[in-house]
Amino acid sequence: MSDRPFRKILIANRGEIAVRVIRACRELDIRTVAVYSEADRAALHVRLADEARLIGPAPSRDSYLRIDRVLEAALQTGVDAIHPGYGFLAENAAFAQACEETGVAFIGPRSQTIRIMGEKTSARRVAVEAGVPVVPGTLAPLSDEQDIRREAERIGFPVMLKAAAGGGGKGMRLVARPEDLAAALPRARSEAKSAFGDDRVYLEKALIQPRHIEIQVVGDHHGNAIHLFERECSIQRRHQKVIEESPSPLVTPQLRARMGQAAVALVKRVGYWNAGTLEFLVDADRNPYFLEMNTRLQVEHPVTEMVTGVDLVKLQIRIAEGRPLPMKQESLQQRGHAIECRVYAEDPDQDFMPSPGRITALRLPGGPGVRDDSGVYEGYEVPIHYDPLISKLVTYGHDRVDALRRMRRAVAEYKILGIQTTLPFFGRVLEHPDFLAGNVDTSFVERVLADQGRRPDRPWEVAVAAAAIQALRDQQAARAEPAASPLSGWRLAGWRELAGHRP
Ligand code: MV4
């Protein structure tokens, strides 16, 4: 906690997110310090920052994950605060605590809050206390196989074995039948041990083909908290999100209000400050179940920024300075629709193998409603050592169809030569009837890869029809429950027009 404006911030990260934070700092007239590894001497974030400090060799455990080296750079350069970005040290309680002890502001929550949310069963307990619906399961880690068996029988198969120290699907195992438990348990444990250094596991009821919907929250040092609505993140591949959007095509005004209120209740309960995200699974009947909380800025934060007009990074910085939230819940609204495609240096034709190397030519998309948060430039060599995300292509439109058509146009404009990227894969997704209809669940990416070659004749009609059906459903729901914001017929009329029908 601090009570003065920051003059200088160190960004403990690399790539597109370091660039994103530097941009926010520049707009706030705050000087920036980049840190970099030996592999990142020529990286964009190093070029854009006011100062830069080398913190070690290429492997991140020897550089970006070294708490001592990052703090040393912070003290040497005299910064007021450290922005951790996402990944690396962003949810490392020991790092946040070291910042607290050194007197450098950590742009994130208290270290104790990171600890509570990092242990998934304590996060579930806090959620229960705050009245947030959680996936049925255990509220403490389990070690004894007989205890696990008894709890699994109580919950009912299929169950998920998850790492207590985990998150994001790592160390997660589906156990369909009681007789599969004995084999699954040691595997889940050893995965948890190697990924998190902690082999404790817990149980959840396994939901069938759920959707992944998350709520953006923001809290300040003074106990104020708001939510910035939802993001739909169901399109994932091996627990990596691929496409995100806001609003979710599935969420009704009623569900949005319910999830938002639950999220704010949890934030207030733990005295959370900073931007944060509550992840939920939503079942086929639109019941939300809290999964976990991420105590950092998310990769996909731009879609929320586009539909709310709020700059989340600037807000994080102002909160860390000790200022109260500058807006109230009632003054926020979701306007229009935003979609994000994550451009990875991976080859979609080679099972998404990393594709490092030199970018020999680069043509960036632009024009109305297009935002490209990139960490690369023409001539840059994408290193093999880090996450292969090179840019996030975001489009905005007045509705989902508009944003989708812009995305298709932007993907076609975007040319990256010298390495393989996921851009051609997005070309296929953007023509897939299920995606256009907003009908996506856990198995979507596999379906796209299996359906190569099949192309609908008039892809946009699918999206237009789906949106019209959703608008009718929202209208009906709003009539059934007058407290929710009613929807007028103009949305429907707009979709009819896009489809080529005059109202
Ligand atoms: C689940 C689940 C079913 N039941 N938990 C959690 C982290 C995320 N990366 C995947 N997670 C899941 N947790 C229970 N109790 C299914 C998934 C899941 C998933 C969820 C949403 C969207 C895509 C997914 C792909 C695989 C697994």
Side-chain angles (χ1 to χ4, degrees), residues 284-360:
D285 298 324
R286 287 202 173 85
N287 297 304
Y289 302 94
F290 172 77
L291 259 193
E292 57 189 80
M293 181 176 189
N294 301 315
T295 56
R296 55 166 155 80
L297 186 70
Q298 301 265 115
V299 177
E300 59 272 25
H301 75 277
V303 295
T304 298
E305 296 188 322
M306 302 300 271
V307 297
T308 61
V310 173
D311 186 315
L312 285 166
V313 180
K314 287 193 205 166
L315 195 51
Q316 282 187 296
I317 293 169
R318 290 316 190 199
I319 288 166
E321 285 177 338
R323 301 186 205 222
L325 283 177
M327 72 281 275
K328 295 210 177 317
Q329 188 68 56
E330 302 77 58
S331 56
L332 287 171
Q333 46 173 332
Q334 265 175 322
R335 273 195 58 178
H337 199 102
I339 302 176
E340 171 178 285
C341 288
R342 297 192 186 186
V343 183
Y344 288 101
E346 292 177 344
D347 186 349
D349 290 332
Q350 301 286 331
D351 198 30
F352 294 83
M353 281 251 296
S355 178
R358 189 170 303 279
I359 296 174
T360 54

Side-chain angles (χ1 to χ4, degrees), residues 135 160 162 168-169 172 204-207 212 236 239 281 442:
V135 185
M160 285 282 187
K162 296 190 175 188
M172 183 174 101
E204 280 180 4
K205 175 115 191 140
L207 301 183
H212 182 134
Q236 308 189 0
H239 307 309
L281 295 180
T442 46

Side-chain angles (χ1 to χ4, degrees), residues 15 24 49 61 194 241 289 342 356 359 391 394 414 422 442 444 472 482:
R61 66 174 175 281
S194 67
K241 292 168 190 162
Y289 302 94
R342 297 192 186 186
I359 296 174
S391 122
V394 184
Y414 211 151
T422 46
T442 46
F444 176 74
L472 278 172

